[in-house]
Amino acid sequence: METPQAEAAQVVIAGGGPVGLWLAAELRLNNISVTVLEVRTEIDQRSKALTVHPRGVEVLASRGIHQRFLDESLRISNGHFANLSNRLDFSVLDTPFPYTLFITQARTEALFEEYARGLGATVRRGHRVTGFTEHADSVTVQVEGPQGPYEIEAGYIAGCDGTRSTVREAAGIDFPGTPSTCLGWLGDVLLDNPPAPGFNRFNERGGLMVVPLPDNQWRVVGTSPDGVTAEWPGDLTMDELRQKAIDIAGDDFGMRDPSWLSRFGNATRLATHYRRGRVVLAGDAAHQHFPTGGVGMNVGFQDAFNLGWKLAATIDGWASDGLLDTYHTDRYPVGEQLMEHSRAQTYLFHAFTPEGLALRDLLSRMVPQSREFSDVLAGRLTALDVAYPSTDPAAHPVTGTRAPDVNLTGSESTLFGALRADSYVLLDLTADGVLADRVQERITVHRGAPDPTRDAWEDVRAALIRPDGHVAWAWTEQDDTKLGAYVDAGITTALGR
């Protein structure tokens, strides 16, 4: 176990789960000193999350670490919305990774920790943030460690410490929402007679999914009519889990030897501020919801993906303080959308009445019948549709959207491979590469070709891509003499100079 040495860091991160570790890595890629404080002494092997969705894989690819995850994961080319019988087809999505990676949260966390430590992040396990004092230009963080209490001086503190966030509460940031009104349940067990892969069942007696886990374990997870309650019925027992499986599926599949039994509620809350002064929030500290579709961890480390470069740019002074405020304006709407979709799916997960079952059947039939309907649901689930709209009414439609992984001219690389945490990419799509001389600090230029297969990009001749892969601005004017001046002005605006 690490012993505290230098009690100073530019950023202290409370919480060493996937969100905090990814944020630490993003900061280290910008040479920001960071200390991660995690109360757990080791990684919890009871994995809440089991998937990395397509946009999550794109994020990994944007930092060049996706192959390790691809090598260790099962690829699933579809996903579910509220466990409807017809699943969403990811194979048709516009991404080089049209699938979900099936990998436990414990393994994802281990890979993220290895990555963050390798970049120079300090990760202290068994250390708990107990509070902080904010000053005009710093934060004093109070910590309880194995050898007793101590303090760290930092420029900022990031709360990645879950739904009961100490950082959020100490900052006085409200966490409004709705309390739990229904419960789901799960058990990680051994099965002597497991069902076929992809097993799911939904009827008037409940909903049930059975998912394979490492080490010959299986996750049995579901909802049932007796879970539509605000009252806590006590801890889940093995006998209860077995009976629920029998009631819903007519079989307990020979389940035995549970390693984890749990209930979970649908309390839904969203922090009013993702940033307040020298405090920032990410992941479950900013949003709480019923675990629907495996999106929680993905949304969390995508929060960190948006936050990391902005926080680093603010600390280093290469962007104005206003850039850090855009973390809230970018990600708060994503949190609102997460609340909406998780609530809608929660209702469908508990729709056991004849009317509810009819609604589920109707929506399920629409999935294969309406490509537009299916694509909207898939875009929300995978986060491929996340965009940060520009306040400029004259902005090109691609502004704020995630940039596609276009091939780069004269290189075997693609845009994702060219993205860096500490600089923008100026994508030159002109015929003659007229932007080659626009290289400057925090800007790299890469050439590509216009893509007529993507309607929104067909007329784009230059685009400035942020470190998180979203478009800062795009240009279509055919007059090259004006293009250079526009590029210079756009870069100045993007960097907040």
Side-chain angles (χ1 to χ4, degrees), residues 86-105:
N86 285 314
R87 296 175 69 87
L88 304 171
D89 183 6
F90 290 172
S91 67
V92 299
L93 298 176
D94 182 17
T95 174
F97 310 106
Y99 41 74
T100 286
L101 299 185
F102 189 83
I103 183 170
T104 66
Q105 179 175 327

Side-chain angles (χ1 to χ4, degrees), residues 156-203:
Y156 291 84
I157 181 169
C160 304
D161 49 346
T163 58
R164 299 178 181 178
S165 171
T166 297
V167 173
R168 186 190 64 240
E169 293 181 4
I173 298 175
D174 292 336
F175 199 40
T178 52
S180 181
T181 58
C182 53
L183 300 168
W185 36 263
L186 68 80
D188 290 348
V189 298
L190 297 180
L191 298 181
D192 289 331
N193 303 297
F199 179 88
N200 72 82
R201 190 70 52 84
F202 200 100
N203 51 46

Side-chain angles (χ1 to χ4, degrees), residues 10 26-32 308-320 323 418-427 438-446 463-468 472-473 490-492 494-497:
Q10 289 172 291
E26 288 292 287
L27 293 170
R28 286 302 305 143
L29 287 169
N30 282 274
N31 293 316
I32 300 298
W309 67 275
K310 294 177 178 179
L311 183 54
T314 302
I315 293 171
D316 276 350
W318 61 273
S320 68
L323 178 66
L419 291 176
R420 292 171 54 89
D422 60 355
S423 63
Y424 286 71
V425 167
L426 180 57
L427 188 59
R438 298 292 165 177
V439 177
Q440 58 177 280
E441 184 182 10
R442 306 288 181 176
I443 303 290
T444 59
V445 178
H446 292 276
L464 188 66
I465 314 302
R466 306 181 341 179
D468 60 4
W473 55 256
I491 289 172
T492 297
L495 297 181
R497 293 172 176 167

